[in-house]
Amino acid sequence: QSVLTQPPSVSAAPGQKVTISCSGSTSNIGKNSVSWFQQLPGTAPKVLTYADNKRPSAIPDRFSASKSGTSATLDITGLQTGDEADYYCATWDNSLSALVFGGGTKLTVL
Amino acid sequence: QVQLRESGPQVVKSWETLALTCSVSGGAINSYSWNWIRQSAGKGLEWIGRIYSNGNTNYNASLESRVTMSIDTSRRQFSLKLTSVTAADTAMYFCTGRGILTGMHYWGQGALVTVSS
């Protein structure tokens, strides 16, 4: 059971938009910044966003993140087949004194 | 740009000690927390622990009794030791750096460690 809750899977058609949610608590998302990672099959995770909504320069603006209270969301617009991957949210948990992850969401681009 | 590379044995015998080293290039060692994260086949990401350049550590409570992390700032390396391994410790092990002020993450490519009986 992961500390952060993500839907196991989401799907959408190419060109469409998908939103992945990440639900936490006041000890983690409510107090600390959230990061989102994309993991393509057989590769290391890659950071999509960090510090709640900042994006590394190499990441296209199709990927955007936000946070409100104890929940965070990752939006992906203009879906491409190459976006099929597992997506993870992560943040620090003050009660556990640990970096915690969501269980991951598998994105299928139909 | 921070780059990380894991190294160490790919196979460890049951009940022995898993030892991995992460070599860091780029960036200032004291500007990051240095983490170990693992992923079993088909599973999610599990944080093992972190170490700072001053040697301060935090460990995952579920692994704390078996984990030791260390850092050699002069060599720009940090290490993981996990004792008394079992098949459940078979996983891809990633070393990462997280900017203390920025929160930006950098990941190594990962090292697959298999525990054999």
Side-chain angles (χ1 to χ4, degrees):
Chain A
Q1 189 78 353
S2 300
V3 173
L4 305 179
T5 301
Q6 298 180 234
S9 63
V10 295
S11 62
Q16 296 299 303
K17 172 185 173 181
V18 71
T19 296
I20 300 174
S21 61
C22 176
S23 177
S25 70
T26 54
S27 67
N28 44 64
I29 292 178
K31 286 193 171 59
N32 298 297
S33 64
V34 177
S35 301
W36 286 91
F37 304 99
Q38 177 194 60
Q39 187 175 31
L40 298 168
T43 68
K46 176 173 71 174
V47 59
L48 293 177
T49 69
Y50 63 99
D52 292 337
N53 55 19
K54 292 184 171 51
R55 198 172 47 244
S57 57
I59 303 300
D61 60 7
R62 300 189 298 107
F63 296 89
S64 63
S66 62
K67 186 178 82 173
S68 178
T70 60
S71 294
T73 58
L74 174 71
D75 290 323
I76 309 173
T77 60
L79 277 171
Q80 303 173 1
T81 56
D83 296 332
E84 287 201 333
D86 294 322
Y87 292 82
Y88 295 91
C89 57
T91 187
W92 186 258
D93 189 293
N94 293 344
S95 296
L96 298 173
S97 291
L99 184 67
V100 292
F101 288 92
T105 299
K106 183 175 183 61
L107 169 63
T108 300
V109 180
L110 302 168
Chain B
Q1 182 79 350
V2 177
Q3 293 183 313
L4 304 99
R5 180 180 291 274
E6 305 86 352
S7 60
Q10 294 178 306
V11 180
V12 181
K13 291 184 178 179
S14 294
W15 306 112
E16 295 192 346
T17 296
L18 179 159
L20 293 172
T21 296
C22 184
S23 299
V24 180
S25 60
I29 284 283
N30 60 359
S31 296
Y32 298 85
S33 67
W34 304 104
N35 300 259
W36 288 99
I37 293 165
R38 71 180 183 179
Q39 185 175 37
S40 302
K43 303 295 185 182
L45 299 168
E46 179 182 30
W47 180 77
I48 300 171
R50 70 178 179 186
I51 188 166
Y52 289 90
S53 59
N54 62 4
N56 286 350
T57 56
N58 297 98
Y59 299 141
N60 185 323
S62 67
L63 298 169
E64 188 165 13
S65 63
R66 300 193 291 129
V67 170
T68 302
M69 293 184 185
S70 59
I71 190 166
D72 185 334
T73 56
S74 63
R75 300 185 68 178
R76 297 181 64 87
Q77 292 180 332
F78 64 101
S79 298
L80 167 70
K81 287 187 177 180
L82 182 65
T83 62
S84 303
V85 297
T86 68
D89 296 308
T90 293
M92 185 73 78
Y93 286 76
F94 299 100
C95 62
T96 80
R98 185 181 187 190
I100 293 172
L101 295 180
T102 66
M104 175 61 182
H105 300 260
Y106 299 91
W107 291 69
Q109 63 188 12
L112 179 61
V113 179
T114 300
V115 177
S116 70
S117 54

